[in-house]
Amino acid sequence: MSARVRTPTARVCERCGRAERWDDDLEAWQLDRDDGEKLIGNPHCLHEWDINGTFNPVAENDS
């Protein structure tokens, strides 16, 4: 049994609510949208990303 490391595909700022998703084609974080509106949050915020709360980067392989 081996483990593999995963990376997050979405993140939300705990301070201002800015939401982003990972775009594999662009290889960059992109603003998420809700009904076509960009979830930009506060552009002057020093973003505190909620990626370490419930996200577990280690996934067990079924081998």
Side-chain angles (χ1 to χ4, degrees), residues 3-8 51-52 54-60:
R4 64 181 174 87
V5 177
R6 299 179 306 131
T7 56
I51 61 170
N52 58 0
T54 59
F55 179 77
N56 184 355
V58 179
E60 296 294 329

Side-chain angles (χ1 to χ4, degrees), residues 18-48:
R18 179 186 180 104
E20 296 181 345
R21 61 172 175 73
W22 182 255
D23 187 309
D24 285 329
D25 294 332
L26 296 174
E27 296 183 344
W29 289 101
Q30 298 296 302
L31 286 171
D32 208 358
R33 295 175 181 263
D34 185 23
D35 290 332
E37 184 176 333
K38 291 181 179 179
L39 303 175
I40 61 170
N42 179 347
H44 303 291
C45 180
L46 297 175
H47 303 298
E48 179 85 24

